[in-house]
Amino acid sequence: MKDKKYTERYLKACQLLPERLSISALDIAPELMPCVEEIRLRAGREIHLTLPERELPLPRTRVTTDDLEQVLDRCTEYSRYTAEETIRMGFVTARGGYRIGICATVVTAGERCESLRDISSLAIRIPKEREDIARPLLPQLLVDDKAVSTLIISPPGGGKTTFLRDLVRILSDGSELCAPHRISLVDERGEIAAMHRGIAQLAVGNCTDVMDACPKALAVPILLRAMTPQVIALDEIAGKADVDTLRAASRCGVTLLATAHAASIEEIKSRVFFGEIMGSGIFRRAVVISGWGDKRSYRVEVLR
């Protein structure tokens, strides 16, 4: 059933390509289709399909700049102006939850990206929802039937966002172990809920409110004032501004769910800014993800 769903998503992603490229992308072994994580298009080069453990080039698929422009038009349903804010941030979300990363020449105004021109690369990410991967760990992430602040870590591409999405969905809908939680989700890069014209394309639960394409430092204060969340979920904590945002939110009494790139708790503690926040007691649990694809493993570490 899972393979069928992911095959269908790959087939729909191919519909975003110009016909001659789509024909080649569809001409791969059927058993590979559900495994494809990204379709990468680079001007002047062949299409590459990203698989869990390798890159697969597609012969005779030399991509042109016109191809890239055509894909972006299809992703925005020929209304680029409706997605101009996220395009300036380097991505756009297409119907169905497909997030398309963009590389191009940046037109700046001071330190601000004003627009992108001369597109050189696109990365079409195939959304992978893995339902209930967080459920076996749920008892360890609850205290008195309520979620506790949890940091989810893995190396890049290790499944943090997928796990966070599933945990948000389970807590938002409630389960036999806990009542539904009121969750505010900061989806700065459009990867968790994959909002398309105000509607989440991926399952994040019935009691989840999404702030889309907004920096964490701006989104969190708005959500605290406007949505009275019990839980705030954020993806990809990366620097001092994000850490300061977590610290401020924790003082308001909300539970925090966040992700960060690292292979271990020790690696996180060794980093500037992160060591301080790990020692502050904000997070009570950590979920450490290791391995790749279907061989991923998940374990909980108690921080306090």
Side-chain angles (χ1 to χ4, degrees), residues 47-245:
I47 290 177
H48 278 66
L49 304 181
T50 303
L51 301 172
E53 297 179 354
R54 64 188 176 104
E55 297 280 322
L56 176 66
L58 300 183
R60 299 179 298 280
T61 57
R62 186 179 178 87
V63 177
T64 68
T65 55
D66 285 344
D67 292 330
L68 297 175
E69 294 288 345
Q70 197 174 142
V71 171
L72 195 55
D73 280 337
R74 293 186 180 190
C75 292
T76 59
E77 299 175 6
Y78 299 91
S79 298
R80 289 196 197 185
Y81 73 93
T82 63
E84 60 185 0
E85 287 298 323
T86 65
I87 289 175
R88 277 201 290 265
M89 295 169 65
F91 71 92
V92 65
T93 303
R95 188 184 302 275
Y98 298 88
R99 181 180 183 272
I100 295 85
I102 306 168
C103 274
T105 299
V106 178
V107 179
T108 60
E111 296 184 357
R112 171 182 166 82
C113 173
E114 189 68 24
S115 63
L116 300 178
R117 63 176 176 82
D118 300 333
I119 299 168
S120 57
S121 301
L122 295 175
I124 304 173
R125 179 166 293 185
I126 315 294
K128 302 284 188 181
E129 292 175 290
R130 301 189 185 276
E131 289 192 2
D132 289 334
I133 57 171
R135 195 173 294 277
L137 277 62
L138 190 61
Q140 301 175 72
L141 305 179
L142 300 172
V143 173
D144 297 328
D145 302 329
K146 296 186 183 300
V148 297
S149 292
T150 300
L151 182 65
I152 303 160
I153 68 171
S154 82
K160 296 179 297 297
T161 301
T162 302
F163 185 92
L164 176 63
R165 182 190 303 117
D166 192 54
L167 181 59
V168 165
R169 179 188 63 82
I170 293 170
L171 292 174
S172 177
D173 288 342
S175 71
E176 68 281 1
L177 296 177
C178 64
H181 288 59
R182 190 169 58 252
I183 299 179
S184 288
L185 172 61
V186 182
D187 199 2
E188 182 174 358
R189 302 179 307 152
E191 288 190 307
I192 310 173
M195 302 296 286
H196 180 76
R197 301 191 178 181
I199 298 175
Q201 302 295 292
L202 303 176
V204 290
N206 292 316
C207 295
T208 299
D209 304 299
V210 182
M211 186 70 81
D212 182 46
C214 181
K216 301 173 188 68
L218 294 177
V220 169
I222 294 172
L223 292 168
L224 287 169
R225 288 193 301 267
M227 304 309 294
T228 60
Q230 295 169 306
V231 177
I232 291 181
L234 318 91
D235 203 15
E236 301 291 356
I237 302 304
K240 183 178 186 302
D242 292 346
V243 170
D244 289 345
T245 298

